[in-house]
Amino acid sequence: MNATVPLALSPHAALALDAYLSAAPGGLTSCEVASLAIEAWLAAHTPAPGASSARRGYQWKTLFLPDQTRLRMCACGQTGYATVQGDAIMYAGRRCSPRQLTLALAGSGRNALRELWICFPGQSNWTQAARLRTGPAPAPAAAPSPAETINAAAACMAQALQSALTLVGQVSQGAAQQAERRRAGSRRGADLLADSCALD
């Protein structure tokens, strides 16, 4: 289906996005950026077909991670996220174990229990996996209200949109750096050769 559907944005967000994209060399339109943000949000929040989120999850030794549990790891100045979908941990579209996740994000020499942080479904706080191994997992939270669901969807879409804008900004910055690679003191205008070679 290639037909476009009108999408209502706040005037402030629409104007800010259009202004940013008109100055960026990426060539993306606001509709394309909105589509990317919506697709990223749907991919992160669509459960596996036929999955029952109440009983499914990933068993990590003595720690059970229910369906839709999020995992996070910070390494090398970047943060990577994975999600439990059904009975598997999914990272970058592939199934992995906690150890494989740490290898993918930081290479060898990392202990998954110390490096991974866990956020259970319906909760907003992150807890180190090693701490969860010593105590019981928290009880699942009550189902969110429709207003909370809408707010969460809006926050996820805003985060996906911000990621797209960051990508456009990095492309723009890379293009600007290609234009002039020499340092300020190495430019022709900074040459003092003419002054030091005065003719008698």
Side-chain angles (χ1 to χ4, degrees):
M1 178 174 173
N2 295 326
T4 59
V5 176
L7 183 65
L9 295 175
S10 70
H12 174 72
L15 289 173
L17 178 60
D18 285 338
Y20 185 88
L21 291 176
S22 64
L28 290 174
T29 66
S30 56
C31 291
E32 291 170 333
V33 171
S35 294
L36 289 171
I38 291 169
E39 288 170 4
W41 183 85
L42 286 172
H45 292 85
T46 302
S52 170
S53 58
R55 300 189 180 243
R56 301 193 71 178
Y58 184 85
Q59 186 68 47
W60 181 14
K61 298 185 180 179
T62 59
L63 179 60
F64 180 72
L65 305 177
D67 187 27
Q68 299 305 310
T69 298
R70 293 176 291 158
L71 294 89
R72 179 182 75 185
M73 178 180 172
C74 299
C76 305
Q78 295 183 343
T79 304
Y81 294 89
T83 306
V84 176
Q85 295 180 3
D87 296 325
I89 297 174
M90 300 298 291
Y91 173 69
R94 301 178 71 182
R95 296 170 68 107
C96 65
S97 67
R99 173 70 177 148
Q100 291 168 334
L101 179 60
T102 58
L103 288 172
L105 294 171
S108 60
R110 301 293 181 106
N111 182 313
L113 282 171
R114 286 195 305 264
E115 299 292 336
L116 292 177
W117 290 71
I118 309 295
C119 182
F120 288 102
Q123 298 189 352
S124 58
N125 59 320
W126 292 87
T127 308
Q128 188 180 30
R131 292 182 186 166
L132 293 172
R133 285 279 302 272
T134 60
S145 69
E148 290 172 337
T149 303
I150 290 171
N151 288 338
C156 288
M157 289 177 67
Q159 183 180 12
L161 181 59
Q162 183 60 42
S163 299
L165 291 175
T166 301
L167 180 62
V168 171
Q170 289 174 347
V171 170
S172 174
Q173 183 181 8
Q177 287 176 350
Q178 282 288 12
E180 184 58 68
R181 295 186 309 242
R182 295 178 293 166
R183 294 189 304 260
S186 301
R187 294 193 180 108
R188 183 75 174 170
D191 261 342
L192 301 177
L193 183 60
D195 296 336
S196 62
C197 297
L199 298 175
D200 292 329

